[in-house]
Amino acid sequence: MEKKMKMKRVLITGGAGFLGSHLSDKFIGKGWEVIAMDNLSTGSLANVEHLLGHDRFHFVKQDVTEFIHVPGELDLVLHFASPASPIDYLEMPIQTLKVGSLGTHKALGVAKDKGARFLLASTSEVYGDPLIHPQKEDYWGNVNPVGMRGVYDEAKRFAEAITMAYNRYHGVETRIVRIFNTYGSRMRLNDGRALPAFMGQALRGEDITVFGDGSQTRSFTYVDDLVEGIYRLAMSDECEPVNIGNPQEVSILDFAKEIVELTGSESKIVFKDLPSDDPKVRQPNIDKAKQTLGWEPKVKRKDGLAKTLAYFKDAVYRNNQLELRIAG
Ligand code: UDP
C-alpha cells in the first residue's frame, strides 16, 4: 500500500492581505494545509474568497497581537500581518508598532510551542533612506526613528531582532525575508502606494500625483516572483536576512509615465510635496538570493504591469459602481 504523506500545515498571519493571500495560494498549490489569520484591518476576505470552500484552507479572524491559539500541529509560521503602505501606517501608527513587536512575539511563541519553522516578512524599509546603493543584507541602514515612517521601520527592525533572539536563545528555526516594493493583483486601490495611486488615477482620467520631482527611485517586483522567492527561502537553511526584489530600478516619474502609456490614459502628471523621509533611492542587491536560493525575478516590469492592469480595471469599475450606489 502506498505510504500516506504527512500533511504539512502552515499558519499565515496577514493571510487575507495582498502578500498573505498570494502565499496562501502558493502553499495550497503545493499541497499544504493553510491556516490564514487576519484581523481584516487592511486585509480583505475578498482576497481569499476563492479559497474559502477548499478543504485545506481555514480562515481565522484574529488580531495577532493577542494570544494566538492554533489547534493541532504546525510545520511553518509565515508572519505577514502588518499595515504596509505609508498611508496605512500613518493612519494606524500604534497598530503598526504593535503588530511588528507584540505580534511578532506572539507568532514566534506559536512557532516555538509547535516546533515549527518561522519566517518573518521584513522589508527594505529597514535600510531607511539608504547611504549604500544598491542595498546589501549587511548594510545596517539609515532610519529616522522618530519620523512618520519610524513606526513601520523600527517595528520591523525590532521584529528582525526578536526573530534572531528566538533563533539563538530558543533554537527556533527562523528565516527573514527583506521584501522590496512589490505589485500585483489584490493591492488595495486606495492604499496610497505609487502603483495603485497611479493606475487608479490613470484609469479614472485624473491627474497623476508624483511626489517631489519624481527623481526618487524604486525597484518593483511582480508578486509571483516574490512569492516564489519566499517559498524557496522558507524551504532553505538560510537563517540570516535575504533580500527578495527585482533590481530593475526606475525613477518614480518614469514609472508614472509607463503607467500613463500602458493605460492609454489622457491624464497629466502633476507634482505634489514629497513626504518626509521618503527614500531617495532603493534597489536590492540579490546576490545572496541567487547564490543560496537559486532565485532571481523572471517577470519584466512591462509584463507584470500589463497583468496588474486587468485587476485594477476591474477594481476601479467595482469602486465606481459602489460610489454610484451610495450616491443613490
Ligand atoms: N508616490 C508618488 N505618488 C503617489 C504615491 C507615491 O509619487 O501618489 C511616490 C512615493 O513618494 C515614493 C514612491 O512613489 O517615492 C513609492 O511609494 P510607495 O508608497 O509605493 O512605496 P515606498 O515609498 O514605501 O517605497
Side-chain angles (χ1 to χ4, degrees):
M1 213 175 87
E2 200 185 319
K3 205 173 159 214
K4 216 174 161 197
M5 224 178 87
K6 186 181 167 295
M7 175 81 85
K8 292 269 183 186
R9 293 182 96 216
V10 56
L11 169 68
I12 306 180
T13 75
F18 164 45
L19 298 182
S21 64
H22 281 283
L23 284 163
S24 294
D25 286 337
K26 179 78 169 182
F27 280 84
I28 288 285
K30 293 278 181 188
W32 287 58
E33 183 174 352
V34 173
I35 300 154
M37 188 172 275
D38 205 301
N39 69 354
L40 301 178
S41 71
T42 58
S44 165
L45 274 183
N47 291 338
V48 289
E49 213 172 11
H50 59 291
L51 293 174
L52 288 177
H54 199 292
D55 59 0
R56 280 188 281 109
F57 182 80
H58 316 279
F59 177 76
V60 182
K61 184 170 185 296
Q62 196 191 313
D63 184 335
V64 295
T65 62
E66 310 285 339
F67 181 80
I68 302 173
H69 173 69
V70 178
E73 291 176 17
L74 281 177
D75 302 287
L76 180 63
V77 176
L78 303 177
H79 184 42
F80 277 70
S82 177
S85 81
I87 283 207
D88 288 342
Y89 42 80
L90 286 185
E91 281 175 3
M92 293 179 275
I94 315 285
Q95 290 97 318
T96 303
L97 281 159
K98 279 177 73 179
V99 74
S101 54
L102 307 180
T104 305
H105 184 217
K106 294 283 181 286
L108 278 162
V110 175
K112 173 172 160 264
D113 184 50
K114 305 279 184 187
R117 187 174 287 184
F118 176 88
L119 184 146
L120 172 70
S122 186
T123 165
S124 54
E125 284 282 327
V126 300
Y127 301 123
D129 190 5
L131 305 177
I132 299 282
H133 191 68
Q135 294 75 56
K136 252 182 95 179
E137 289 87 348
D138 58 6
Y139 176 49
W140 294 348
N142 176 40
V143 171
N144 174 4
V146 295
M148 300 304 254
R149 285 177 181 254
V151 295
Y152 186 60
D153 302 5
E154 296 296 2
K156 289 293 187 182
R157 288 165 70 97
F158 173 91
E160 288 198 7
I162 193 171
T163 298
M164 290 311 292
Y166 264 67
N167 176 292
R168 295 186 183 117
Y169 188 76
H170 286 310
V172 174
E173 276 189 42
T174 59
R175 309 285 177 261
I176 297 175
V177 57
R178 291 193 180 141
I179 299 169
F180 283 66
N181 295 65
T182 301
Y183 67 96
S185 62
R186 304 182 196 154
M187 294 182 97
R188 276 173 21 251
L189 194 53
N190 58 351
D191 77 357
R193 287 174 169 131
L195 184 135
F198 295 167
M199 276 208 179
Q201 290 160 343
L203 290 170
R204 291 187 299 264
E206 297 168 1
D207 289 347
I208 310 282
T209 55
V210 166
F211 297 160
D213 62 5
S215 62
Q216 71 273 29
T217 68
R218 295 293 186 272
S219 307
F220 293 94
T221 314
Y222 186 59
V223 66
D224 290 0
D225 277 336
L226 181 91
V227 163
E228 176 63 24
I230 291 170
Y231 182 79
R232 288 188 190 202
L233 177 61
M235 299 306 136
S236 81
D237 292 332
E238 181 60 57
C239 69
E240 298 285 329
V242 180
N243 288 340
I244 298 285
N246 189 327
Q248 206 193 1
E249 190 179 6
V250 63
S251 76
I252 291 302
L253 181 56
D254 285 345
F255 187 57
K257 287 179 184 166
E258 284 178 7
I259 290 178
V260 172
E261 197 186 310
L262 175 73
T263 52
S265 169
E266 308 218 322
S267 293
K268 64 175 196 307
I269 292 174
V270 297
F271 296 91
K272 301 268 178 193
D273 288 347
L274 188 68
S276 58
D277 300 325
D278 198 290
K280 285 179 270 310
V281 290
R282 182 179 289 157
Q283 185 194 20
N285 174 313
I286 56 164
D287 289 350
K288 193 169 178 184
K290 282 185 184 164
Q291 280 153 20
T292 58
L293 312 177
W295 176 88
E296 62 183 318
K298 299 225 168 352
V299 182
K300 292 200 178 63
R301 198 167 59 243
K302 192 168 173 291
D303 301 329
L305 286 179
K307 290 183 196 205
T308 306
L309 179 62
Y311 169 82
F312 276 101
K313 276 186 177 164
D314 191 48
V316 168
Y317 174 77
R318 274 187 280 119
N319 206 48
N320 284 346
Q321 296 299 102
L322 190 69
E323 278 175 16
L324 283 176
R325 234 179 295 147
I326 292 168

